[in-house]
Amino acid sequence: MLEWLSNNSNWITPATSIGTLLVWIFYAQLLYNGYSRQTRPRLLINRGVSDEGLDSPCLICNMSREAIYIYFILVFLENSKKSVLVPVTDCEEGAIGDSSSSIASRTRQGPLESGKFLELLSFRIILERAASRAGIELKEGVPVDPNVEISALEFHVVCIYGSDDKPFGAVRRFNLKTNDAGTPLLEPDTIDTRRKTSWRYKRRIRQWLKAHGQ
């Protein structure tokens, strides 16, 4: 055996070196993937109390290791009449108009610490605000006009993570359906919130920044 190893050392040594290199690359990839998962920003958009239907509050939860700065929050109302994009960053008009109130009570823009959540308006109020912008009259969350159909609410939360200077979007879509009794129901389109960082989406972010004056 030793003689065979000695006679074939000219190719065994390089093969051993290559094998060792591949093992190190494999473990380095594992370490990088683990580090990437730990440092990747993670934002969840969910219903606070699902049993309350449209009256459930919309929650934005920061599951990242560091704080996230929220630039603005937009809701896209998909409907058969006129789809609209509505900002919901600012709080209720009464709070906004009161100069003595704190910034936190006037806007949802700002840092969100790790492990914390931000409570938006209820889905019903968000739906009514967006429907009003689209010129749709609602009754108990359902369009009065039977020819108008609202299909979904899609949330876009635009953020900056930690010391990173590149914004990203957290997106989740909620389908709007009605049961046999005619009661509107919300169904999330995906199990998790999607993180969007493509150049095309970042271009949309720049357009939104200009449009909404952030």
Side-chain angles (χ1 to χ4, degrees), residues 134-170:
I136 300 174
E137 184 181 355
L138 299 180
K139 183 178 181 181
E140 299 298 328
V142 179
V144 174
D145 187 347
N147 295 320
V148 176
E149 179 183 357
I150 297 177
S151 55
L153 286 171
E154 187 176 71
F155 289 78
H156 294 257
V157 182
V158 179
C159 322
I160 289 281
Y161 176 58
S163 59
D164 195 359
D165 58 354
K166 298 179 181 179
F168 71 94

Side-chain angles (χ1 to χ4, degrees), residues 43-47 58-60 155 157 170-172 174 193:
L43 212 63
L44 300 180
I45 304 172
N46 206 1
R47 290 174 294 179
C58 180
L59 301 181
I60 299 175
F155 289 78
V157 182
V171 182
R172 197 175 191 195
F174 293 85
T193 302

Side-chain angles (χ1 to χ4, degrees), residues 186-213:
L186 284 171
E187 292 184 0
D189 189 51
T190 55
I191 296 177
D192 201 359
T193 302
R194 292 175 295 150
R195 187 171 64 96
K196 305 192 73 170
T197 58
S198 67
W199 66 268
R200 182 174 297 178
Y201 191 82
K202 289 178 180 178
R203 186 174 63 180
R204 293 180 65 187
I205 289 176
R206 289 193 294 269
Q207 294 172 349
W208 291 337
L209 283 171
K210 293 179 180 179
H212 300 287

Side-chain angles (χ1 to χ4, degrees), residues 5 13 18 21 35 40 54 73 89 92 96 107 111 114 120-121 145 149 173-174 183 195:
L5 292 174
T13 300
I18 293 174
L21 177 62
Y35 174 79
R40 182 183 304 161
L54 287 181
I73 306 165
T89 308
E92 292 73 19
I96 297 173
T107 181
S114 174
L120 299 183
L121 305 168
D145 187 347
E149 179 183 357
R173 186 174 184 269
F174 293 85
T183 303
R195 187 171 64 96

